[in-house]
Amino acid sequence: MSITDEIKSIFLEKGENHFDEGSVTQLSHALQCSQHAEIANSSAEMITACLLHDIGHLLNKDARQAIRNGEDAEHEHIAVDYLRSWFGPAVTSPIRWHVDAKRYLCATDKTYFSKLSKGSVRSLEVQGGPFDRQVVARFESQPYYKEAVQLRRWDEASKSTSTTTPSLEHFLNFVSQARI
C-alpha cells in the first residue's frame, strides 16, 4: 500500500472522530487547514503538512484518554515519526513545530490567545504554556519555524462546523507531489 493510500485509509477509518472542538471532525479540521494553505498558494509540501499535522491523534489509540487525563499526547512527535520515511523536512518540520508555534504565538502576539478554542487553551496548559523569551529565541532559530507559525494560525482557523472544502482526494494529490 502506498503512503497516499495509507493516509486515505487512516482518515476514512478514524477521521470522523470528533476533534476536541464540539462537532468538528478530525477529517474536516484537516481539510479546512489544507484549504487555507491552498488558498494562500502554498507549496504542495505546506498543503500536505496542513493536511497531516494532527495525524498523530489518529495514530495514537490513547490520545483521547491522555487529553481527558490532562496529559500531552505529543501527537506532533507521533506524526513526524510516522511520516519521516516518506516526506522531507518541508512537510515534517512544520508538523513537528506546530504545537510549539502555539506556545510561541501566545508569547509574542498579544491577540493570539483570545483566538484559541477551548480545546487549544486546555492543551496549551499541558504543553507547557507560553514560551519565555529564551525559548522564543531558540524557537526562532529552528528551520521552518515560520512555516510552523503559519500552519498554527491556519490550524486555529480550521474549526468551523459550516465550512465547505474540497475532498480528501483533492488534497491527496498534493500529498503525492510532496513525497520525497
Side-chain angles (χ1 to χ4, degrees), residues 60-99:
N60 180 358
K61 64 180 173 27
D62 298 323
R64 292 180 77 73
Q65 188 59 45
I67 291 165
R68 278 189 218 107
N69 293 343
E71 300 167 0
D72 184 1
E74 298 187 354
H75 71 285
E76 70 278 21
H77 299 290
I78 293 167
V80 170
D81 288 346
Y82 174 72
L83 296 169
R84 71 170 41 120
S85 295
W86 298 285
F87 301 99
V91 172
T92 59
S93 291
I95 293 170
R96 160 61 185 96
W97 299 114
H98 84 278
V99 168

